[in-house]
Amino acid sequence: MKFKTISKEDLETMSFDDIAYVILKEKGKKMKISDVFRIICDVLNLGDAAFEAQIGDFFALVSTEKRFIQLEKGYIDLRENHTSEINISEIEEENDDEIVEDEKEDEDSDDDEDNNYYDDIDDMDDDRPDDDLKDLVIVDEDYGDESDL
């Protein structure tokens, strides 16, 4: 759909973000947010007062709309123009290398842990004071019924 071929009546029924989408799609490159909204206001004959009153709302609209992406210095563009290519084979190779490195580290650390495990147990101090068990009462089952206690 070409922006210039859309009738004024059709433009009046469209939302600002839909009009912005058509403008950016036709332009094919990033534009300043204010320039896009200026074009919308000019086409709809909204005037400078409407531009100044609604530019903040327009900014909020395009910043939450998933079709647009905000760029530096007040520029916006269509998100579809900024997709990244992902090479899966490179990612898999990187992951394989990381797994091999992790396995080597685990083997090294396992050897150290096996040697030090029993040493650590011997080094453990009994932090309980001896009087923790002073109130301990041992009850013999054959002692009698509960009333004897």
Side-chain angles (χ1 to χ4, degrees):
M1 171 184 323
K2 296 283 185 183
F3 180 68
K4 294 178 181 178
T5 62
I6 301 172
S7 68
K8 183 170 174 153
E9 294 79 24
D10 288 340
L11 285 172
E12 288 174 348
T13 62
M14 294 173 68
S15 64
F16 287 162
D17 59 325
D18 288 338
I19 297 171
Y21 180 84
V22 172
I23 292 169
L24 288 168
K25 186 75 170 175
E26 186 172 314
K27 184 86 166 180
K29 62 180 186 175
K30 67 182 180 180
M31 291 180 67
K32 286 214 172 238
I33 293 174
S34 58
D35 293 341
V36 173
F37 193 59
R38 174 62 65 192
I39 293 170
I40 293 171
C41 288
D42 289 345
V43 169
L44 297 176
N45 296 323
L46 296 178
D48 290 338
F51 175 83
E52 296 207 11
Q54 296 180 5
I55 186 71
D57 293 335
F58 179 71
F59 176 79
L61 179 67
V62 295
S63 64
T64 58
E65 172 67 49
K66 292 181 180 180
R67 295 181 289 178
F68 302 102
I69 186 170
Q70 290 184 8
L71 305 171
E72 69 285 340
K73 299 181 182 177
Y75 283 90
I76 61 168
D77 200 358
L78 299 178
R79 186 172 299 274
E80 63 196 40
N81 295 338
H82 294 269
T83 58
S84 60
E85 293 183 22
I86 299 173
N87 188 342
I88 304 249
S89 61
E90 288 178 12
I91 293 172
E92 288 175 348
E93 288 174 10
E94 289 175 12
N95 287 340
D96 289 345
D97 292 342
E98 289 174 7
I99 290 171
V100 168
E101 289 177 13
D102 288 345
E103 287 175 355
K104 286 180 182 178
E105 289 176 10
D106 287 345
E107 288 173 3
D108 293 342
S109 65
D110 285 345
D111 291 342
D112 292 342
E113 287 176 12
D114 290 342
N115 293 336
N116 295 330
Y117 178 74
Y118 294 108
D119 294 340
D120 291 341
I121 291 175
D122 292 339
D123 293 339
M124 291 172 47
D125 291 330
D126 188 8
D127 293 335
R128 292 184 315 201
D130 292 332
D131 60 356
D132 279 352
L133 303 176
K134 70 179 180 180
D135 295 327
L136 181 66
V137 176
I138 299 174
V139 177
D140 190 0
E141 289 180 13
D142 297 331
Y143 182 72
D145 60 0
E146 292 178 17
S147 63
D148 293 339
L149 295 176

